[in-house]
Amino acid sequence: ENITLNLYYKLFMVIGVLIGLFCDFIVSIWFKLDSTVILFLQSFAFLIELVTVFCLFFTNQSYTITFWFSMFMGLLYSWNASVSRGLFSRLIPADKKCEFMGWYSAFTYIGVSILSAISAILRYFNVLSYFMLLLFAAWSIPGIVLLIVLKVKLLFVEKAKKKEATLLDEQQPQSQEEIIIPAVDVETPILHKTENV
């Protein structure tokens, strides 16, 4: 049964990646939202989903309800991963994409390893596994805060670029008549015409 559930979960993760790519494209065009806002909303939804699934386990709700909410959690998780990778690839320098994406993947697996170790410790002390959901929720809060900081920083950068572009436009001459050709201080060689005698 565990293998079947894991298979379903992986299937929903694949669906989540496809939905994430599609929604990122549609929302950015129709609603003019950038990836930072989309990732913030999605991360907040994932946080609520984690707490909801924990409450379903804790209150012993029906298997069907818990199953579908758990599958939806897998969908949101992979959606989050696809949007965050897309955002990260747009923020990093073009000449360092391979290096930065390598670090991104490394820290992703470091995070997974840390949570796996914590899960093993909790199992050793006979703590119920669904309490890990609260740990996941707590783990996601710093990410949401960092997204807010990132969005504010990007707004400042965008404002500075617009200001710089405005200053450059003001410095350029408005018409052809305003273009002043600077005088060039070049000695003109004097040609002496000699007559053949």
Side-chain angles (χ1 to χ4, degrees):
E1 186 181 356
N2 287 337
I3 295 173
T4 306
L5 288 174
N6 192 37
L7 181 63
Y8 282 134
Y9 189 80
K10 296 293 184 185
L11 178 63
F12 272 83
M13 286 180 66
V14 172
I15 294 170
V17 171
L18 298 176
I19 290 175
L21 293 171
F22 179 74
C23 288
D24 191 27
F25 176 73
I26 295 298
V27 170
S28 62
I29 292 176
W30 286 357
F31 299 99
K32 305 297 182 186
L33 295 177
D34 60 20
S35 297
T36 314
V37 177
I38 296 171
L39 190 58
F40 171 79
L41 295 173
Q42 199 276 338
S43 298
F44 193 72
F46 185 61
L47 175 62
I48 294 172
E49 170 70 9
L50 286 169
V51 176
T52 303
V53 172
F54 170 79
C55 293
L56 289 173
F57 275 111
F58 193 71
T59 55
N60 293 320
Q61 295 297 319
S62 70
Y63 176 83
T64 305
I65 295 174
T66 307
F67 170 81
W68 285 110
F69 269 94
S70 300
M71 294 304 108
F72 187 65
M73 184 170 63
L75 187 145
L76 286 176
Y77 169 75
S78 56
W79 182 358
N80 182 291
S82 66
V83 176
S84 63
R85 278 175 170 78
L87 173 64
F88 187 70
S89 66
R90 284 192 285 273
L91 292 176
I92 58 181
D95 59 334
K96 292 185 177 284
K97 278 190 183 290
C98 293
E99 178 184 347
F100 276 69
M101 290 307 291
W103 283 111
Y104 184 94
S105 297
F107 276 94
T108 298
Y109 289 109
I110 289 171
V112 170
S113 300
I114 291 172
L115 287 174
S116 299
I118 294 172
S119 177
I121 292 169
L122 291 178
R123 279 200 307 272
Y124 179 78
F125 289 104
N126 295 320
V127 178
L128 295 174
S129 59
Y130 57 78
F131 276 95
M132 279 293 293
L133 294 169
L134 292 181
L135 182 61
F136 283 135
W139 194 273
S140 64
I141 290 173
I144 293 174
V145 173
L146 286 173
L147 277 172
I148 296 172
V149 173
L150 175 63
K151 180 60 180 174
V152 172
K153 178 69 175 174
L154 290 174
L155 286 173
F156 276 116
V157 170
E158 186 179 348
K159 187 176 179 181
K161 284 183 178 178
K162 285 182 179 178
K163 186 175 180 181
E164 185 180 350
T166 305
L167 289 173
L168 287 174
D169 288 341
E170 290 175 355
Q171 290 175 358
Q172 290 179 355
Q174 300 298 320
S175 64
Q176 197 69 19
E177 297 174 357
E178 296 180 23
I179 298 177
I180 301 172
I181 300 174
V184 181
D185 188 16
V186 179
E187 291 183 7
T188 306
I190 302 172
L191 300 176
H192 298 280
K193 186 178 180 182
T194 58
E195 295 181 1
N196 293 328
V197 180

